[in-house]
Amino acid sequence: MRLKPNDKMTGQEQPVLPEVLLGHFFRLIQAIKIHHPNNSIVTQSLKEFVETLHLFKSDESWLTIRIMDGRLFFQEEKLTCRSESAKLIANFITYFEIKKLNGLSLSTALQSSQGDEFLMFATLLNGSENQEDPELWLEQQIQKMDFDWVKILRDVPVKQEVAEAATSAPGRSPAACPDRRDGVRVETSKNVYAGTLTALKEIATKVTSNKPGGARKALRMVQSMVDLIMEDDFVLLGLSTIRDFDDYTYVHSVNVGILAMALGSRIGLSRDALEIIGVCGLFHDLGKTEIPLDIVNKPGKLTQDEFQEVQKHVLHGVRLILKLRAPRDLRSKVIIAPYEHHLKYDLSGYPQTSRKKTLSLHGRIISIADVYDALTSPRIYRDSEISPHHALEIMAKGAGKDFDPILLKVFIKMMGIYPLGTLLKLDSGEVGLVTESCNEIDPLRPRVVLLDPVGRNQFRRGKTVSLSEKNGISNTYTRTIFGSYHPCLFGIQPAQYLL
Amino acid sequence: MMLRQHLRHVPPNEGGKVDETELQALKGVLAALLAAVRNFSLYPSEHSICQRCTRHLKNSLSEFFKYEKKLKIEINKDGLSYREMKLYEPSEKNDSLLSPLFRDGILWIEIFPDIELSELEIFLKLFGEHRSLIDEAGSDLVTALWKANLTNIRYEAINSFWENPPVFDFGDFSLGNEPWARIENDQNKEALPNGPSEQSFPNIKKSEGLTHFFELTTTENQLLSKLISKNNQEDTEDIIDILVIVLDDQNAERDFSYLLELLEQELKLALENTHFNLVHTMLEKMKPMASGSSEPLSWRKKLIDDFFLKLSSDETLKSLETGLLKLKTADSNQISSAKNFMLMLEPKAVETLAQFLLKGPSRTVQILLMNAMKTLALRNLAPLERLLGHPNVLLVKYLIAILGQIKGRHPRDLLLRLMDHSSEDVRQKALLCLIKRGELPMDKIEAFLNDPDPQVRSQVFDYMRRGKNPMYERILRSYIEKKKFGRHDRAFLITCYQALGKCASNESLPFLEKQLFKGIGFPLFGLWPSRHRLGSAVALAEAGSQDAKQILSRASRCFYPSIRRAYKKALEVTAISK
């Protein structure tokens, strides 16, 4: 079978390239157990294996196969056990587990002329189970033979338990802690955030290299976020204050997903609808991966042509979402909001097409979340950073024209006049970071954590105070807001102080 | 037997945790679960075996819940455990119970006593559906269980996707190159976006207070509810709209082709849900994509043409059939849209549409289908022609009705060909069609008159006696003269004469007179069959001309009783037929 790495893989009928490679590899090591190296079965298996290995050459220099906790990982990603490949994967896992081997790395530069070396290695691999320490023994043999195209993998260098505990599905756990800043909850949320970001980056990498990206990981992460948000959106809203100048699009997309889900939750959307809206947020800017980076990262104003190019990301995005490996109904449902996210409430904006319909609920929500996060993110083309508070002011002026006025109202109420993570300069000369924005009695006086300067642009977390506190004697407010700033002006990631 | 293989025997009260009766109940649950999982992977969930398995599992659980308030099963790569006791160890790697649970990272599953039969059924169904996975696709057992949101089944899952699960680290996020430097150098930093901000939100009235301002009014709440309920409705139209827009934007053949595939899926769904108008509009929008394609995009035309060809495939038309069964017969817009869609099909679709007719659709759908088939047959008669050899007589009769409405020599020839059909019903229907069209060929009439089916013959007569016609007159006369009618053919012969009388001119009077008075003066007068005498009298009575009446008058006064009898009888027959 001849496959290229970019081959379109649809459905169950076609094997994916890693499976093909592993299949050839497994056949080869089995064949060499019973046949002479010159036997045609061996030579044919070797030829197919090397040919398949070379298909990876343009993308990867080394291929890693690791067995961990009964699962097979290929290039650090779990290889999904499809019905067609289940037996092969199970055999592979058993083969490595019997030999107590963690895995190996193979160079894609292995030449056909090195076939004899590979057969030698396969024989060693087969024989390693008789050794006391197969890993060590194999390593020594490889060194002795001077095989520079293979490496034996040692133990996994991660704190697996911590990571696993932190990424479990929290909404299902019976012992959910009511404390908003509960450590486990915060850790879980952080790791779900990281997992979502990674899943999104993986998808983006795949779609940009024209490979089919699957939505399963992203879906799992979004479902975890829905559970967290439905329980209490505080931690994830705190995490949505994270800004990343270098990886703007991905962090922005995760934040938009969180903000959109939180808004959806406030207006009482079902968990299924929140799931859809979360996926919409995550994928709404996927089309940007197809816009030249020099335009995306251009400092200053875009030319007319460049702006037209940027506008194309909407339709590109819809196409890329449609190309994801995901159930049909999910794919279909999540194209509407990404298509509409640059259309304004009055239908101005882009793309301007023959379709003249009022925006969908999901489109309206994503549009609000998108603009808020974009305004409050440091961008290379902007001279000054806009504080979250100021961003809401700007957005409020577009109510009824740019944004659905009702949803915007709910959004501002959710975020608070001074949203979580806004940096406030106080008349006392202190600097405070908003930790709880929704003061029901006086929304203009949130709770803040005071930041004590400990050096140039370095702060220590101080005490948390409410700005509605009054001086007992004079009955005047102890602290009043003097100005609001974007925290990144002080090099602050608010989430670091909030959670 | 199976259970014994999988259950590691644990002595009662080992570790003081599980006593013997509880263990037996637990074994019962596991056996029922294994059987259910196996059967749900073999049969659809509504199958009686699956239903029985679900009930059995429910009963086993009820038995277990006599001892415990919940059942928590832990999952690891080697098997299932209950309270640290190994409960189940599969004998093979790809075990149908353990594999999907472990593969998708489920750590434990908890089942509670209030579990409903329906919940168990959903759980087992999902298990069956996600037994094997499509690589990277969007759903696995965990995501499916999440969606199902079962009240009495809880679980915890880890993400087992990555070799090194992503760990959150603030250091991974950068705020750029010391952005704060800008504020340090800013002389006017005190004037940056400033303080207490009722004024900043222009719509806020001081008196109202901010808290109230952000509360939704009753009207706003109503509008929002409306928006949410609209959001819950089907969005096929939006999806198709967007798909077509994105499709038109594609300049790469591969993407264009892929999107067409998706559109096809959506189209089928829309047809199944009776969105005929939507489908029709979509197809109308797609047409210009083919015609407007310039040279570099010339492949578009071929792909669009292929797409339109695919509309007529059995698969697409199956969706149409589902939709037609749901069609509201009182909804004229829906009917007209369905027709418009069908008119966009290829003529070959007639073959599939014809099958729908046999499934007993409503009269409205029947007419709709036949009209569409007629229009398609007008473009190319060959597919309909192929169907004429179909063994189902009812279908052939439907086709005849369609053929009857299509003008031209070829449809007429086909109808004529059907006059040789083995079914009397078919021949009759074809003949009727030919008659209606006024295209009964002279040279075939005699053959029709010999048709074994009296109905067919009777139709021919009906046709021939519509008025005076010298051609028919000659044919009938010659037929009566040549044909040997037996005693049993009396009624038929009378009908022949009757028809002759209707279409005859005075040219036939000598013949009829001869037939009526035949044998007078001959000794064997009485041997001349009375049926001919009667027939000719009937013909003369039907002819109604003065000359004919004179002949009949002579007959009424004739010396021979048999001739007078014939006269009288003829008057009766004619009166009855009138």
Side-chain angles (χ1 to χ4, degrees):
Chain A
M1 184 176 320
R2 292 201 170 265
L3 284 171
K4 294 181 199 127
N6 291 350
D7 272 357
K8 190 175 157 192
M9 307 292 183
T10 51
Q12 287 165 299
E13 69 283 358
Q14 287 185 327
V16 285
L17 201 52
E19 287 172 10
V20 178
L21 182 80
L22 294 181
H24 290 319
F25 183 60
F26 197 68
R27 263 194 297 280
L28 184 57
I29 51 180
Q30 296 303 320
I32 196 70
K33 269 187 194 170
I34 45 176
H35 297 294
H36 189 272
N38 289 335
N39 181 289
S40 62
I41 296 174
V42 176
T43 50
Q44 183 59 28
S45 298
L46 179 65
K47 185 171 170 264
E48 286 172 345
F49 169 71
V50 175
E51 278 176 4
T52 314
L53 188 70
H54 286 173
L55 293 177
F56 289 90
K57 218 171 174 175
S58 56
D59 298 319
E60 318 282 354
S61 51
W62 285 86
L63 298 180
T64 308
I65 301 157
R66 189 189 286 277
I67 311 298
M68 197 170 72
D69 198 21
R71 297 183 175 94
L72 176 61
F73 293 85
F74 185 84
Q75 292 298 74
E76 298 185 0
E77 257 190 75
K78 191 177 83 171
L79 203 60
T80 308
C81 209
R82 307 183 310 135
S83 56
E84 295 86 346
S85 59
K87 200 172 169 196
L88 169 72
I89 294 176
N91 286 341
F92 222 91
I93 292 171
T94 311
Y95 180 86
F96 274 74
E97 281 181 344
I98 286 173
K99 294 173 177 57
K100 298 187 185 95
L101 293 175
N102 282 308
L104 50 88
S105 275
L106 287 170
S107 166
T108 52
L110 179 76
Q111 296 301 309
S112 307
S113 56
Q114 291 171 294
D116 289 345
E117 286 185 20
F118 192 84
L119 293 179
M120 175 71 81
F121 169 70
T123 312
L124 290 171
L125 198 60
N126 286 331
S128 63
E129 68 187 77
N130 302 322
Q131 304 302 319
E132 199 174 314
D133 185 345
E135 256 179 18
L136 182 68
W137 181 78
L138 262 177
E139 266 182 349
Q140 286 168 349
Q141 297 303 313
I142 288 169
Q143 215 169 10
K144 208 158 86 183
M145 305 281 186
D146 203 17
F147 294 163
D148 57 354
W149 43 266
V150 60
K151 290 174 196 163
I152 298 299
L153 297 181
R154 287 303 216 159
D155 289 340
V156 191
V158 276
K159 291 169 261 170
Q160 178 78 9
E161 278 177 25
V162 174
E164 282 190 353
T167 52
S168 58
R172 290 275 148 205
S173 172
C177 182
D179 180 4
R180 303 188 103 185
R181 290 185 179 82
D182 160 59
V184 175
R185 192 178 159 72
V186 169
E187 277 311 302
T188 304
S189 303
K190 281 180 176 175
N191 286 298
V192 168
Y193 189 97
T196 312
L197 199 57
T198 308
L200 178 61
K201 283 181 186 175
E202 280 179 10
I203 288 173
T205 310
K206 281 189 177 165
V207 297
T208 42
S209 53
N210 226 355
K211 288 178 187 165
R216 185 181 297 145
K217 292 175 201 166
L219 192 63
R220 191 80 94 82
M221 295 300 138
V222 167
Q223 289 180 345
S224 296
M225 290 203 283
V226 171
D227 286 336
L228 285 164
I229 281 174
M230 286 184 83
E231 212 170 78
D232 182 0
D233 56 17
F234 175 78
V235 179
L236 277 180
L237 279 178
L239 285 169
S240 77
T241 62
I242 289 175
R243 298 289 176 264
D244 192 352
F245 189 80
D246 300 333
D247 245 349
Y248 165 76
T249 305
Y250 302 123
V251 170
H252 164 72
S253 298
V254 177
N255 291 343
V256 169
I258 293 172
L259 291 169
M261 283 188 282
L263 176 55
S265 173
R266 294 291 170 122
I267 61 168
L269 292 187
S270 66
R271 65 205 291 270
D272 285 349
L274 293 182
E275 179 198 22
I276 296 293
I277 216 167
V279 178
C280 287
L282 211 55
F283 294 156
H284 79 286
D285 262 348
L286 204 54
K288 283 220 177 122
T289 54
E290 293 200 348
I291 306 297
L293 273 178
D294 53 345
I295 297 181
V296 176
N297 295 332
K298 182 182 171 182
K301 209 171 173 220
L302 298 176
T303 65
Q304 185 74 16
D305 287 349
E306 286 168 339
F307 186 54
Q308 273 179 4
E309 193 62 32
V310 167
Q311 289 184 3
K312 287 182 186 169
H313 85 272
V314 172
L315 295 188
H316 289 340
V318 175
R319 172 173 41 79
L320 293 176
I321 291 170
L322 288 168
K323 286 174 85 174
L324 291 177
R325 281 164 174 258
R328 186 210 68 83
D329 62 330
L330 176 78
R331 259 185 337 211
S332 302
K333 277 183 182 150
V334 299
I335 60 170
I336 301 171
Y339 172 82
E340 293 175 337
H341 83 276
H342 277 292
L343 281 173
K344 295 178 181 176
Y345 185 64
D346 64 0
L347 295 184
S348 61
Y350 63 88
Q352 284 299 322
T353 62
S354 55
R355 186 171 185 266
K356 298 286 173 213
K357 284 186 72 179
T358 54
L359 301 187
S360 68
L361 173 67
H362 290 182
R364 295 174 200 209
I365 291 176
I366 293 288
S367 160
I368 290 173
D370 178 44
V371 172
Y372 174 78
D373 190 79
L375 282 176
T376 54
S377 295
R379 303 305 311 278
I380 195 157
Y381 53 76
R382 239 189 327 250
D383 288 339
S384 61
E385 275 40 332
I386 299 169
S387 78
H389 160 73
H390 187 45
L392 289 182
E393 283 181 331
I394 295 170
M395 289 173 73
K397 285 173 190 153
K401 184 185 172 297
D402 298 339
F403 308 105
D404 181 312
I406 301 171
L407 290 172
L408 185 65
K409 207 168 170 180
V410 180
F411 184 73
I412 295 174
K413 185 171 186 202
M414 174 180 91
M415 300 305 285
I417 302 277
Y418 292 102
L420 206 62
T422 306
L423 195 69
L424 299 175
K425 186 157 190 182
L426 307 171
D427 61 353
S428 58
E430 296 162 304
V431 173
L433 194 68
V434 178
T435 56
E436 268 176 52
S437 54
C438 297
N439 181 343
E440 291 291 332
I441 300 159
D442 190 350
L444 292 174
R445 296 194 165 273
R447 280 179 78 79
V448 297
V449 58
L450 297 175
L451 302 181
D452 302 330
V454 287
R456 186 174 174 273
N457 293 313
Q458 285 186 318
F459 301 90
R460 191 175 49 218
R461 197 187 151 101
K463 62 176 179 176
T464 302
V465 295
S466 168
L467 296 188
S468 50
E469 266 176 26
K470 285 186 176 174
N471 186 318
I473 301 161
S474 62
N475 200 29
T476 53
Y477 288 112
T478 315
R479 297 174 182 86
T480 294
I481 299 168
F482 183 74
S484 80
Y485 300 102
H486 195 291
C488 82
L489 287 172
F490 295 87
I492 290 172
Q493 287 282 14
Q496 233 167 336
Y497 295 87
L498 296 173
L499 304 172
Chain B
M1 199 68 174
M2 275 295 284
L3 184 66
R4 249 180 276 139
Q5 279 176 1
H6 295 302
L7 270 179
R8 180 181 281 178
H9 183 70
V10 179
N13 294 324
E14 191 191 32
K17 283 179 183 171
V18 186
D19 66 24
E20 185 58 40
T21 44
E22 187 181 339
L23 184 66
Q24 287 310 317
L26 190 60
K27 283 181 182 179
V29 170
L30 186 62
L33 182 62
L34 276 166
V37 164
R38 195 170 47 246
N39 284 314
F40 269 77
S41 68
L42 295 173
Y43 307 102
S45 58
E46 57 275 11
H47 195 282
S48 61
I49 292 180
C50 291
Q51 305 271 316
R52 208 166 47 232
C53 282
T54 315
R55 281 195 300 272
H56 181 49
L57 178 58
K58 170 92 171 76
N59 293 339
S60 308
L61 282 166
S62 302
E63 186 60 31
F64 175 79
F65 289 130
K66 286 178 185 167
Y67 308 100
E68 293 292 338
K69 287 181 181 164
K70 65 177 181 184
L71 170 62
K72 182 175 182 177
I73 298 172
E74 276 153 16
I75 294 119
N76 58 57
K77 68 173 176 172
D78 301 322
L80 307 179
S81 316
Y82 173 74
R83 290 202 195 159
E84 295 173 12
M85 174 186 92
K86 254 306 185 247
L87 184 64
Y88 172 68
E89 276 181 311
S91 50
E92 53 182 41
K93 275 267 176 195
N94 287 313
D95 173 68
S96 57
L97 176 60
L98 178 66
S99 289
L101 293 167
F102 178 71
R103 174 199 66 200
D104 292 345
I106 296 179
L107 296 174
W108 50 259
I109 284 198
E110 255 178 3
I111 304 175
F112 292 88
D114 288 340
I115 190 147
E116 303 274 341
L117 206 58
S118 58
E119 282 184 275
L120 276 179
E121 192 180 322
I122 293 169
F123 175 72
L124 293 167
K125 193 176 167 198
L126 293 178
F127 217 99
E129 284 170 1
H130 293 88
R131 200 166 37 101
S132 58
L133 288 181
I134 296 170
D135 182 59
E136 287 283 318
S139 179
D140 59 18
L141 188 56
V142 175
T143 53
L145 281 173
W146 186 92
K147 269 183 189 294
N149 199 16
L150 304 171
T151 318
N152 291 295
I153 294 183
R154 295 217 238 181
Y155 61 90
E156 184 170 2
I158 53 159
N159 89 55
S160 54
F161 299 120
W162 293 283
E163 185 180 321
N164 298 329
V167 178
F168 185 92
D169 183 353
F170 278 112
D172 293 341
F173 307 104
S174 135
L175 290 172
N177 293 327
E178 298 204 353
W180 51 87
R182 282 197 290 247
I183 198 165
E184 289 296 306
N185 300 329
D186 191 340
Q187 298 302 309
N188 300 318
K189 64 178 176 181
E190 299 300 311
L192 277 169
N194 44 22
S197 55
E198 286 95 337
Q199 302 81 7
S200 309
F201 292 88
N203 299 328
I204 301 175
K205 290 180 195 140
K206 258 268 169 132
S207 57
E208 226 177 10
L210 278 174
T211 311
H212 294 300
F213 177 73
F214 289 111
E215 293 299 333
L216 296 188
T217 64
T218 313
T219 318
E220 286 173 333
N221 265 320
Q222 281 168 352
L223 285 170
L224 190 58
S225 302
K226 217 166 135 186
L227 189 63
I228 293 169
S229 79
K230 197 177 154 203
N231 182 60
N232 295 333
Q233 288 162 13
E234 207 188 328
D235 40 17
T236 316
E237 187 176 347
D238 291 318
I239 293 164
I240 289 186
D241 261 0
I242 294 171
L243 269 173
V244 173
I245 290 167
V246 178
L247 178 75
D248 199 20
D249 187 57
Q250 301 311 309
N251 294 327
E253 189 174 351
R254 197 168 120 164
D255 290 338
F256 194 87
S257 167
Y258 176 74
L259 289 175
L260 277 177
E261 275 174 37
L262 297 186
L263 255 175
E264 195 189 324
Q265 290 173 18
E266 293 299 333
L267 175 142
K268 283 184 205 155
L269 204 69
L271 286 175
E272 280 166 21
N273 292 316
T274 67
H275 298 313
F276 302 117
N277 187 37
L278 177 62
V279 174
H280 180 243
T281 315
M282 172 192 105
L283 295 173
E284 285 295 338
K285 280 183 190 166
M286 286 173 68
K287 271 186 185 167
M289 287 187 209
S291 54
S293 301
S294 56
E295 189 51 42
L297 302 178
S298 52
W299 43 262
R300 272 189 175 208
K301 183 173 171 11
K302 190 186 171 306
L303 289 175
I304 296 265
D305 288 348
D306 287 350
F307 178 82
F308 275 87
L309 274 176
K310 266 194 188 168
L311 293 181
S312 306
S313 68
D314 283 356
E315 213 185 317
T316 311
L317 294 178
K318 197 164 171 45
S319 303
L320 171 70
E321 185 190 0
T322 313
L324 287 176
L325 289 173
K326 295 180 195 164
L327 187 109
K328 290 181 190 130
T329 49
D331 187 339
S332 57
N333 285 336
Q334 217 178 46
I335 293 167
S336 133
S337 303
K339 186 182 168 194
N340 287 336
F341 166 70
M342 285 194 266
L343 297 188
M344 295 182 112
L345 299 173
E346 289 294 309
K348 70 165 185 176
V350 162
E351 294 177 46
T352 315
L353 296 181
Q355 305 296 330
F356 299 173
L357 283 170
L358 294 177
K359 294 183 180 168
S362 65
R363 181 77 188 132
T364 316
V365 174
Q366 209 177 74
I367 294 168
L368 181 66
L369 284 166
M370 288 175 71
N371 282 338
M373 287 166 73
K374 178 189 137 190
T375 314
L376 298 178
L378 276 170
R379 277 154 48 194
N380 180 3
L381 203 54
L384 192 141
E385 188 179 342
R386 278 198 293 276
L387 279 175
L388 292 175
H390 199 280
N392 189 310
V393 170
L394 182 63
L395 174 64
V396 181
K397 279 166 74 179
Y398 280 127
L399 299 175
I400 292 172
I402 295 167
L403 269 179
Q405 295 174 48
I406 304 174
K407 290 197 180 359
R409 194 188 166 83
H410 191 42
R412 190 203 63 168
D413 291 347
L414 291 175
L415 286 169
L416 281 172
R417 212 168 75 195
L418 287 166
M419 292 307 302
D420 296 327
H421 201 278
S422 58
S423 155
E424 289 174 1
D425 277 0
V426 168
R427 292 198 304 274
Q428 201 186 112
K429 183 94 183 165
L431 181 67
L432 260 177
C433 259
L434 285 164
I435 290 172
K436 272 188 195 160
R437 294 160 66 102
E439 290 180 342
L440 206 57
M442 298 299 166
D443 57 336
K444 300 275 184 191
I445 286 183
E446 199 176 322
F448 296 155
L449 290 176
N450 286 327
D451 195 284
D453 180 14
Q455 291 283 343
V456 171
R457 298 192 302 259
S458 141
Q459 278 169 14
V460 180
F461 289 132
D462 285 347
Y463 176 68
M464 292 172 90
R465 61 180 169 221
R466 279 178 184 173
K468 304 292 176 196
N469 187 319
M471 291 288 284
Y472 298 155
E473 182 182 2
R474 270 194 289 275
I475 290 169
L476 276 170
R477 213 165 57 213
S478 146
Y479 181 74
I480 293 169
E481 275 179 320
K482 285 183 199 160
K483 174 116 177 139
K484 285 186 178 165
F485 294 93
R487 200 173 290 170
H488 302 297
D489 298 328
R490 182 186 164 91
F492 175 57
L493 180 65
I494 302 297
T495 314
C496 289
Y497 273 109
Q498 207 170 13
L500 176 63
K502 282 277 186 191
C503 64
S505 62
N506 282 349
E507 192 188 306
S508 293
L509 293 184
F511 166 74
L512 292 172
E513 189 178 11
K514 191 178 143 197
Q515 296 293 84
L516 180 60
F517 294 102
K518 199 165 191 172
I520 290 180
F522 285 93
L524 297 173
F525 169 73
L527 291 178
W528 176 241
S530 63
R531 52 187 180 272
H532 276 282
R533 212 178 300 286
L534 172 62
S536 54
V538 169
L540 287 163
E542 291 285 5
S545 67
Q546 275 306 316
D547 294 341
K549 281 177 184 165
Q550 277 178 12
I551 298 170
L552 280 177
S553 172
R554 269 178 50 219
S556 68
R557 287 178 274 110
C558 187
F559 169 76
Y560 294 98
S562 62
I563 295 175
R564 289 201 306 277
R565 254 197 324 270
Y567 163 73
K568 276 187 184 167
K569 188 79 180 164
L571 290 186
E572 281 170 28
V573 170
T574 319
I576 291 166
S577 73
K578 278 175 182 169

